[in-house]
């Protein structure tokens, strides 16, 4: 079964600075999807960024970018120009591509990283 | 369509009582998922529907839990004889069957407190 590990329970950053959240995963599959989700306090989880494993190019969405290292099974999230509204719990998640994969159709989440943004 | 809707937002129940939660997915999404999230942890998969068919159920789900999705539209999650350990946030999410790389759309969740 796939596992996702976020080794940083908490991170903090000054407003306008850059922060990187770490994620590693374990899988025997070659094709899969990786995601970062943001969960603000008492609010719903929203998708921040996604990466297809077959793509070598790192995904970017405005101030959010990833560093995807497939061989190392690492998928970190970089937030540039941090804003107060970025404060939230961030989850890394894995999803299998092919039918019959043990996590096909479902996301496997890491434990989460609480990000605090200081003004 | 305003997204995935979950009701109620909060539920407090006494131990031993039955509770039922409802999820209304995005109308054109034929896949629906239930997850459970305890405080400070990542969501854990409970079960998955494609249309009205329940295709996967977590081994973590005891026999006290049951989920339905009649007619492939809304879904209900019932917990019978609730225990204190059932206290958690129950999240519903939906997705289309194609375009898996786009992940899910989550609802706001139902927070269950068993006293």
């Amino acid at each position: 079964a796939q596992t996702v590990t976020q080794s940083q329970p908490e991170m903090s950053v000054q407003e306008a600075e850059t922060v990187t959240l770490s994620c590693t995963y374990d899988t025997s599959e070659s094709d899969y999807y990786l995601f970062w989700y943001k969960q603000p306090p008492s609010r719903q989880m929203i998708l921040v960024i996604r990466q297809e494993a077959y793509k070598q190019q790192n995904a970017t969405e405005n101030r959010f970018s990833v560093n995807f290292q497939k061989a190392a099974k690492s998928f970190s999230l970089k937030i540039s120009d941090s804003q107060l509204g970025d404060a939230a719990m961030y989850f890394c998640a894995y999803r299998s591509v092919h039918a019959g994969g043990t996590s096909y159709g479902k996301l496997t989440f890491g434990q989460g990283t609480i990000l605090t943004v200081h003004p | 369509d305003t997204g995935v809707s979950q009701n109620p937002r909060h539920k407090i129940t006494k131990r031993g009582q039955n509770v039922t939660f409802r999820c209304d997915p995005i109308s054109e999404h034929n896949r629906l998922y239930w997850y459970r999230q305890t405080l400070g942890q990542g969501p854990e998969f409970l079960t998955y529907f494609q249309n009205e068919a329940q295709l996967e159920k977590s081994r973590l789900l005891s026999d006290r839990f049951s989920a339905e999705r009649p007619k492939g539209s809304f879904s209900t999650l019932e917990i019978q004889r609730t225990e204190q350990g059932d206290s958690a946030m129950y999240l519903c999410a939906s997705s289309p069957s194609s375009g898996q790389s786009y992940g899910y759309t989550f609802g706001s969740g139902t927070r269950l407190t068993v006293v």
Side-chain angles (χ1 to χ4, degrees):
Chain A
Q2 288 76 22
T3 58
V4 178
T5 302
Q6 294 178 247
S7 59
Q8 305 156 316
E10 298 183 29
M11 292 285 285
S12 64
V13 64
Q14 291 293 131
E15 199 175 3
E17 297 294 306
T18 296
V19 64
T20 298
L21 308 183
S22 300
C23 172
T24 58
Y25 58 95
D26 186 30
T27 184
S28 58
E29 298 173 336
S30 58
D31 289 331
Y32 46 86
Y33 303 114
L34 296 166
F35 305 88
W36 279 98
Y37 280 87
K38 170 185 177 181
Q39 188 177 40
S42 301
R43 295 182 63 185
Q44 72 188 98
M45 196 171 303
I46 59 174
L47 179 65
V48 174
I49 197 166
R50 63 183 182 271
Q51 176 81 42
E52 291 93 340
Y54 67 87
K55 291 186 178 179
Q56 293 185 343
Q57 186 173 2
N58 290 321
T60 299
E61 290 285 345
N62 300 315
R63 298 181 296 105
F64 298 88
S65 62
V66 299
N67 183 4
F68 173 50
Q69 302 290 328
K70 190 173 183 180
K73 296 180 182 175
S74 171
F75 182 61
S76 60
L77 175 69
K78 185 172 80 171
I79 306 174
S80 304
D81 185 25
S82 297
Q83 301 176 359
L84 295 178
D86 295 333
M89 185 86 146
Y90 285 81
F91 291 100
C92 178
Y94 174 104
R95 187 177 193 180
S96 181
V97 169
H98 300 295
T102 56
S103 66
Y104 173 71
K106 67 176 185 268
L107 290 170
T108 300
F109 287 87
Q111 306 91 322
T113 297
I114 298 172
L115 178 65
T116 302
V117 181
H118 298 289
Chain B
D1 198 340
T2 56
V4 178
S5 176
Q6 291 189 248
N7 288 288
R9 291 293 305 275
H10 304 275
K11 178 71 176 179
I12 299 174
T13 190
K14 292 184 178 180
R15 188 177 53 176
Q17 298 293 306
N18 299 344
V19 293
T20 300
F21 312 139
R22 176 177 171 127
C23 172
D24 288 89
I26 292 173
S27 56
E28 58 266 29
H29 286 181
N30 57 2
R31 290 182 175 175
L32 186 147
Y33 307 84
W34 285 98
Y35 282 77
R36 177 171 64 189
Q37 185 180 20
T38 53
L39 197 62
Q41 298 296 315
E44 292 179 294
F45 171 77
L46 292 179
T47 192
Y48 154 51
F49 290 87
Q50 179 149 329
N51 300 311
E52 66 276 9
Q54 187 173 19
L55 296 185
E56 191 173 354
K57 188 175 177 180
S58 169
R59 288 171 292 179
L60 300 174
L61 215 58
S62 76
D63 292 342
R64 297 184 296 106
F65 287 72
S66 62
E68 295 182 341
R69 192 183 182 196
K71 302 179 183 178
S73 56
F74 70 93
S75 176
T76 58
L77 177 67
E78 181 182 18
I79 308 174
Q80 296 181 328
R81 304 181 303 281
T82 52
E83 301 172 357
Q84 287 189 323
D86 297 332
S87 295
M89 175 76 84
Y90 290 84
L91 297 171
C92 177
S94 69
S95 75
S97 58
S98 59
Q100 292 183 69
S101 66
Y102 289 84
Y104 303 162
T105 301
F106 279 89
S108 297
T110 294
R111 182 167 296 284
L112 173 66
T113 302
V114 182
V115 298

